[in-house]
Amino acid sequence: MMDKTFEPATVEARVSAAWEAADAFKAGRGAQPGAEPYCIVIPPPNVTGSLHMGHALNNTLQDLLCRFERMRGKDVLWQPGTDHAGIATQMVVERKLASENKTDRRTMGREAFLAEVWKWKEESGGTIVNQLKRLGASCDWSRERFTMDEGLSAAVLKVFVSLHRQGLIYRAKRLVNWDPKFQTAISDIEVLQLEKTGSFKWQRDGEEAFDAAKLEKALARDPNGHLYYFDYPIEGVAYDPEDASTYITVATTRPETMLGDTGVAVHPENDKLKELIGRNAVLPLVGRVIPIFGDDYADPEKGTGAVKITPAHDFNDFDVGKRNSLRVVNILNGEARILIQDNADFLEGAAPEAETLALDGLDRFAARKAVVGLMAARGLLRKVEPNTHTVPHGDRSDVVIEPWLTDQWYVDVQPLAQRALRAVKDGKTRITPESWTKTYNDWLENIEPWCVSRQLWWGHQIPAWYGPDGECFVAESEAGAQALALGHYGGPVTLTRDDDVLDTWFSSALWPFSTLGWPEETAELKRYYPTATLVTGFDIIFFWVARMMMMGLNFMDEVPFRDVYLHAMVRDEKGAKMSKSKGNVIDPLVLIDTYGADALRFTFAAMAAQGRDIKLATARVEGYRNFATKIWNAARFAEMNGCARAEGFDPAAVEQPLNRWILSEAARATEEIAAGVTTFKFNEAAGSAYRFVWNQFCDWYLELAKPVLQGEGVAAAERAETQATVAHVIDLMCQLLHPFMPFLTEELWAVKAGEGAPRKLARGDAALVCLTRWPDLSALKDEAAEAEIGFVVDLISDIRSVRSETNVPAGAQAPLVLVKASAATKAAIEAWAPMIERLARVSEIVFADVAPPQSAQVIVRGEVAALPLAGIIDLDAERARLAKELAKLDQDILAVERKLGNPDFVARAPEEVVEENRERKAQAEARKLKIGEALARLS
């Protein structure tokens, strides 16, 4: 006897144990002889991580693909693993040490600190893996890898040395995103752009004197969000604030960087300022003479039309400075403090004032306030105004990131990018949705050198050693570096290893082949590379996808994957991005605890439309929990009505139209689900599964089958056939739903194993549904059965809609009139009349040549059905009501269209508000269509 209710928590633990005991997900498990390989490498989650909504969506879709292809008999390997997450892990362990009142890492030393990190990893690093298992991830967990395990570390060393020998890795001084808190370069993906707006406002020609205390108060709240206008005197003339020919005005949001200015750019066609091109300005406070030059970078319509250029502290300025041969003067140290005393670059050609040199050692924001004060005191501050702009922050440190000039290791990725571009253009790798191909191409066509060094301790230490004179030797081991040094110096020397580690994305770029054993020529590498599909978020198309393409082609001479599916973002139900600061983060584990993993998984699949963000509402997950309950209750109904597998049952030989119909619909659903999954249209696949199970099987088939299963006077053969069909379809449902809802289907498969005759599957393993074969039901398609039962279902549905839309009272009944019905329709009506009358709530069914007056009419598959409503509702009043609602909908749609047609509203309103208006318009238009149809029926 089945349990009364489906309890996900109990079932999930039991089913997981059964899978593990059977090694159900081991590479190649269940594959048919000569099977095609199908491999997915998991985007490695951070070892520090916990399951969030992005992980849950991403791994649901991967698991859906793997379970589906495993059932199709392919040799499936879902390769799992985790990323060492350099900066995140180092931060976690440093916090742990602080909480335990242990010494900091620098006092502790590198070796001792790394020992603490490895200890933490062994104790706490498996959290996310266990959480993925709770989601139902069918990885081959026996093959779990870690980006810093021995094999992957060997791969990293080999790649670095090889790229260096190819001349593609080099060390250079360039601008990087510098995190002053963690004292390291970070990647663009680790930088958050936060919008800032200040509150202080002042101008020189105003009535109030400059109030330094008031500015200090504003900057104490937030040092960002202002635009400062400075006058730079022209060399050789006396500065006169009333004479524009004696100065050039620049504007900046970071006043402290002016200490590093080495030029002023003006657009060559700027009529107002172009006469100053070729002259020099004298940098206030510093005394450095800097050129005024022409460059298209200066926009005549923005700010003052002149742009101060600080090559050492701004990415755009660095490029401008490079093409105009400007000096590069760094005025900050690694902690973002002013560095000008004993700074040869700063002092060269300068005559700084004493008050300027006194800024040395100040924090950048303290220096910002001081520089503005000094400029005001000299009469060179023209104005200050609030300005809304984005400021880069470290995603983990939460401090403002500085563009900072420092020595780093770089990969010259341009030669590698050409092959990656060609591979996609030639169709060797397909990107879905296809619209992302342009983004991929644009980035690779304009690619910049990749900074791969990080000033951390946790990570792959760069395999570079320096001799006593700074000569660098790159090798896979110290012994190899010593051999190179011996050849260079002619004798043994002491070498010092580079302290830096590699960017985490460097090891991740090797993931598709390093996890399969490279650089060793393993059987797995030969079997599963290139992998079949990569499923990942669109936000890392540059940081991960493109880099894997480049590395795979360079080291394996083959693309790393045939297909790339880029899924969208999970947002809250209003369309807002989830963030802790907004308080709208939903924990997937809480949803799993509350509604079960299957409900969450099906929600993701049903909402995973290509290129469309998922707006996740808890109510939607609850709805799919109800779907699981509905399936369970249908299986219990079958059990209570004696529905069990029958010995010798052949679905192709059933005779009853209703049974033939549900088997035909199962065949159609099987094909639709397969088509959806294989084209990454997961929402369409889930929709077909839902429609078949809930609508066709539960709502219609079981309802129409009740008289046969429960009525008196039913022929024994008809009842037995229906009972066997119900049991057979429940088994099919388990198979079709398994990729989406693995726990429920595996449990039902086990529960139903003992009901009736043993399962006899032509292929696959009958013990676990995950190892059965995806059904081939093409022979069960039955157009005649679909025509008969499909007509009955559509007729009842349409009559119910008419009653609902025209406000027919629930208890009221009217006759149903079929107008000029065909012989086939008459036969179907006569066969199903009692059921139609009961479910459509009609008093009788009659046939006529014309429709009765004052009736609502519908066309069902070409047949006209009329519902006389005279005396049941006031037709004139109902028409008026519908017309009034239609007019109101027109007004609502027009109001929303005006909003959405306003560029200012679309630009300024929060994205969730804009999206809400778009949805409101779509809903109103859908309702308008329904009301229009209802009016047409009453006309």
Side-chain angles (χ1 to χ4, degrees):
M1 176 73 75
M2 288 179 65
D3 291 339
K4 188 174 181 181
T5 57
F6 173 62
E7 297 292 346
T10 307
V11 166
E12 286 165 10
R14 181 166 61 242
V15 167
S16 292
W19 288 334
E20 194 169 339
D23 276 337
F25 310 132
K26 208 166 180 63
R29 182 79 161 88
Q32 60 193 18
E36 174 188 343
Y38 185 86
C39 180
I40 289 182
V41 291
I42 196 171
N46 286 353
V47 71
T48 55
S50 290
L51 193 74
H52 57 59
M53 279 300 173
H55 292 135
L57 167 64
N58 177 262
N59 286 279
T60 292
L61 300 182
Q62 289 177 84
D63 187 63
L64 197 161
L65 287 166
C66 287
R67 288 180 184 272
F68 173 75
E69 297 296 358
R70 196 177 285 119
M71 291 179 76
R72 292 216 296 176
K74 290 186 181 178
D75 177 357
V76 173
L77 166 60
W78 186 8
Q79 174 63 56
T82 51
D83 188 281
H84 65 276
I87 198 167
T89 306
Q90 184 161 311
M91 184 174 74
V92 166
V93 176
E94 287 193 81
R95 282 180 182 168
K96 178 176 178 287
L97 293 174
S99 70
E100 295 170 353
N101 295 316
K102 292 184 179 179
T103 184
D104 66 274
R105 70 178 172 97
R106 295 192 185 278
T107 307
M108 180 182 285
R110 187 171 194 144
E111 190 173 337
F113 176 73
L114 291 178
E116 288 286 341
V117 181
W118 279 108
K119 180 183 174 186
W120 174 88
K121 192 263 177 188
E122 295 309 313
E123 291 173 355
S124 308
T127 299
I128 195 161
V129 168
N130 294 325
Q131 292 169 343
L132 287 171
K133 289 179 180 179
R134 284 200 61 194
L135 187 67
S138 62
C139 300
D140 181 351
W141 295 107
S142 69
R143 291 185 49 83
E144 186 184 342
R145 303 301 301 268
F146 178 54
T147 47
M148 280 189 63
D149 68 28
E150 187 178 348
L152 269 65
S153 295
V156 166
L157 291 174
K158 189 173 184 67
V159 166
F160 187 95
V161 173
S162 176
L163 289 174
H164 185 265
R165 287 175 181 165
Q166 292 177 53
L168 297 176
I169 279 189
Y170 59 93
R171 189 167 169 80
K173 188 182 286 289
R174 294 173 61 97
L175 282 189
V176 296
N177 294 311
W178 184 260
D179 190 315
K181 181 176 179 179
F182 291 136
Q183 299 277 286
T184 182
I186 62 174
S187 65
D188 289 346
I189 200 172
E190 295 166 303
V191 177
L192 299 176
Q193 298 291 344
L194 302 182
E195 194 172 88
K196 300 287 183 178
T197 305
S199 58
F200 181 81
K201 190 172 186 179
W202 176 85
Q203 61 184 36
R204 190 169 59 197
D205 55 4
E207 295 178 1
E208 294 184 9
F210 178 73
D211 189 337
K214 191 175 178 182
L215 174 64
E216 182 176 2
K217 190 175 179 181
L219 297 184
R221 286 193 294 270
D222 192 320
N224 301 292
H226 294 93
L227 191 60
Y228 306 83
Y229 293 77
F230 294 154
D231 286 349
Y232 285 6
I234 301 299
E235 183 190 28
V237 297
Y239 170 67
D240 179 356
E242 302 303 322
D243 183 354
S245 68
T246 66
Y247 62 87
I248 186 165
T249 304
V250 298
T252 179
T253 58
R254 298 156 68 213
E256 68 282 3
T257 64
M258 69 164 290
L259 302 174
D261 285 359
T262 57
V264 176
V266 171
H267 196 283
E269 296 175 7
N270 186 330
D271 292 334
K272 185 179 174 184
L273 298 175
K274 66 182 180 182
E275 64 185 30
L276 294 175
I277 294 173
R279 298 185 68 181
N280 295 324
V282 179
L283 185 64
L285 309 183
V286 177
R288 182 184 304 127
V289 175
I290 58 177
I292 301 171
F293 60 94
D295 194 285
D296 292 347
Y297 175 64
D299 186 343
E301 305 301 320
K302 278 188 177 180
T304 68
V307 181
K308 61 184 280 300
I309 303 298
T310 321
H313 297 286
D314 183 280
F315 288 104
N316 290 321
D317 288 8
F318 183 83
D319 292 336
V320 174
K322 196 172 179 181
R323 64 176 173 261
N324 289 283
S325 303
L326 298 185
R327 287 180 55 215
V328 180
V329 178
N330 185 17
I331 53 94
L332 293 175
N333 67 14
E335 295 178 342
R337 293 182 176 276
I338 300 298
L339 177 65
I340 52 179
Q341 289 196 26
D342 302 321
N343 180 341
D345 287 336
F346 172 78
L347 295 171
E348 182 185 335
E353 302 174 22
E355 286 179 285
T356 305
L357 291 174
L359 300 173
D360 190 74
L362 280 184
D363 172 78
R364 54 187 162 163
F365 298 129
R368 177 169 300 179
K369 176 188 66 176
V371 165
V372 175
L374 290 173
M375 291 293 283
R378 285 150 182 75
L380 297 171
L381 177 63
R382 181 164 289 275
K383 65 177 176 176
V384 183
E385 60 187 18
N387 178 265
T388 300
H389 59 271
T390 58
V391 180
H393 285 66
D395 67 343
R396 290 186 175 86
S397 66
D398 198 33
V399 301
V400 175
I401 297 304
E402 283 293 336
W404 197 54
L405 192 65
T406 179
D407 289 308
Q408 301 286 347
W409 287 92
Y410 290 89
V411 179
D412 178 9
V413 281
Q414 196 165 17
L416 304 176
Q418 297 311 307
R419 290 192 70 185
L421 273 166
R422 230 173 14 253
V424 170
K425 286 177 180 174
D426 293 347
K428 292 179 180 177
T429 294
R430 296 171 295 270
I431 298 175
T432 304
E434 202 274 333
S435 57
W436 283 107
T437 303
K438 183 179 185 303
T439 306
Y440 170 90
N441 290 341
D442 286 349
W443 188 72
L444 286 173
E445 285 165 359
N446 299 283
I447 200 163
E448 294 288 332
W450 172 18
C451 176
V452 293
S453 47
R454 298 291 181 266
Q455 289 63 55
L456 302 169
W457 285 358
W458 174 243
H460 298 100
Q461 192 170 357
I462 288 175
W465 285 261
Y466 300 97
D469 58 356
E471 186 69 26
C472 182
F473 304 97
V474 173
E476 292 179 41
S477 65
E478 186 170 4
Q482 285 285 5
L484 293 173
L486 185 63
H488 177 77
Y489 293 109
V493 294
T494 300
L495 297 180
T496 304
R497 188 168 186 178
D498 196 309
D499 283 333
D500 291 353
V501 299
L502 285 163
D503 177 12
T504 302
W505 293 103
F506 190 89
S507 50
S508 297
L510 320 181
W511 193 247
F513 54 92
S514 63
T515 52
L516 298 176
W518 189 92
E520 301 299 321
E521 294 184 9
T522 63
E524 292 85 354
L525 186 64
K526 185 177 180 182
R527 176 68 174 153
Y528 295 109
Y529 191 94
T531 66
T533 305
L534 176 75
V535 180
T536 190
F538 67 86
D539 54 334
I540 54 175
I541 187 171
F542 313 135
F543 300 99
W544 195 42
V545 179
R547 287 168 179 168
M548 284 190 288
M549 288 287 286
M550 290 188 284
M551 292 299 184
L553 285 161
N554 193 62
F555 289 96
M556 296 295 297
D557 200 32
E558 179 60 277
V559 294
F561 18 73
R562 300 298 185 198
D563 279 289
V564 176
Y565 177 71
L566 299 170
H567 59 72
M569 184 184 291
V570 183
R571 298 176 176 269
D572 73 8
E573 61 184 302
K574 294 181 179 178
K577 189 175 180 179
M578 291 187 190
S579 71
K580 290 178 182 177
S581 61
K582 289 182 181 177
N584 64 346
V585 173
I586 304 173
D587 185 344
L589 295 169
V590 171
L591 293 180
I592 290 173
D593 289 339
T594 308
Y595 304 111
D598 289 323
L600 180 60
R601 289 170 59 107
F602 201 91
T603 302
F604 283 138
M607 300 183 77
Q610 288 183 10
R612 191 186 308 159
D613 285 344
I614 290 175
K615 288 190 279 190
L616 186 67
T618 303
R620 189 79 183 255
V621 185
E622 184 179 9
Y624 289 122
R625 190 272 313 272
N626 297 340
F627 179 43
T629 300
K630 178 107 171 175
I631 295 164
W632 189 262
N633 289 340
R636 288 185 69 241
F637 171 86
E639 181 184 68
M640 290 185 287
N641 284 276
C643 300
R645 285 182 303 280
E647 190 69 48
F649 174 74
D650 179 3
V654 297
E655 296 179 355
Q656 298 303 313
L658 181 62
N659 296 331
R660 287 170 24 226
W661 172 75
I662 196 60
L663 290 167
S664 179
E665 289 303 310
R668 184 159 68 101
T670 303
E671 290 182 357
E672 288 175 353
I673 294 167
V677 174
T678 54
T679 55
F680 309 114
K681 295 176 180 176
F682 301 105
N683 60 316
E684 294 181 9
S688 293
Y690 185 91
R691 190 164 50 250
F692 170 68
V693 174
W694 185 298
N695 299 118
Q696 293 169 326
F697 181 74
C698 296
D699 281 356
W700 287 109
Y701 175 71
L702 292 183
E703 188 64 37
L704 296 174
K706 278 180 181 177
V708 178
L709 295 173
Q710 300 172 340
E712 296 181 0
V714 177
E718 184 180 352
R719 176 169 291 164
E721 180 189 281
T722 302
Q723 288 170 326
T725 301
V726 170
H728 183 73
V729 173
I730 287 174
D731 274 359
L732 287 175
M733 277 167 38
C734 287
Q735 292 177 293
L736 299 185
L737 280 174
H738 181 73
F740 306 91
M741 308 177 87
F743 294 106
L744 168 68
T745 52
E746 199 68 78
E747 177 72 1
L748 263 183
W749 188 262
V751 165
K752 293 293 182 181
E755 293 183 5
R759 292 186 178 105
K760 293 180 180 177
L761 302 179
R763 300 166 297 157
D765 184 342
L768 293 169
V769 72
C770 66
L771 295 177
T772 62
R773 286 286 175 270
W774 188 256
D776 178 2
L777 307 180
S778 53
L780 300 182
K781 286 185 180 177
D782 193 319
E783 297 299 330
E786 198 286 324
E788 178 180 335
I789 306 302
F791 174 78
V792 171
V793 167
D794 289 351
L795 178 64
I796 295 169
S797 299
D798 285 354
I799 295 303
R800 286 173 170 176
S801 293
V802 168
R803 293 177 63 100
S804 171
E805 289 163 6
T806 53
N807 284 340
V808 173
Q813 289 194 335
L816 175 63
V817 180
L818 274 299
V819 181
K820 294 183 179 178
S822 66
T825 295
K826 284 182 178 178
I829 292 292
E830 287 164 1
W832 293 97
M835 188 65 73
I836 295 169
E837 289 169 0
R838 181 171 69 85
L839 296 180
R841 292 183 184 175
V842 295
S843 56
E844 62 176 331
I845 302 173
V846 296
F847 299 96
D849 289 333
V850 293
Q854 295 189 305
S855 62
Q857 298 180 32
V858 291
I859 298 176
V860 184
R861 299 195 178 195
E863 300 284 356
V864 177
L867 198 66
L869 297 176
I872 297 176
I873 61 170
D874 183 334
L875 287 171
D876 288 336
E878 186 58 28
R879 288 189 195 100
R881 182 189 72 80
L882 291 171
K884 185 178 179 181
E885 184 175 351
L886 202 60
K888 174 71 168 56
L889 287 167
D890 282 332
Q891 288 177 351
D892 292 346
I893 291 168
L894 186 61
V896 177
E897 282 177 342
R898 281 182 185 143
K899 271 189 182 181
L900 294 175
N902 181 351
D904 193 53
F905 169 77
V906 175
R908 291 178 178 274
E911 57 184 323
E912 59 267 28
V913 173
V914 175
E915 187 60 30
E916 185 183 346
N917 275 273
R918 287 182 179 133
E919 281 192 0
R920 212 157 65 204
K921 179 173 179 273
Q923 289 166 0
E925 287 172 338
R927 177 67 182 158
K928 180 182 174 181
L929 190 64
K930 278 188 170 296
I931 298 300
E933 289 171 350
L935 261 175
R937 287 169 184 152
L938 295 178
S939 60

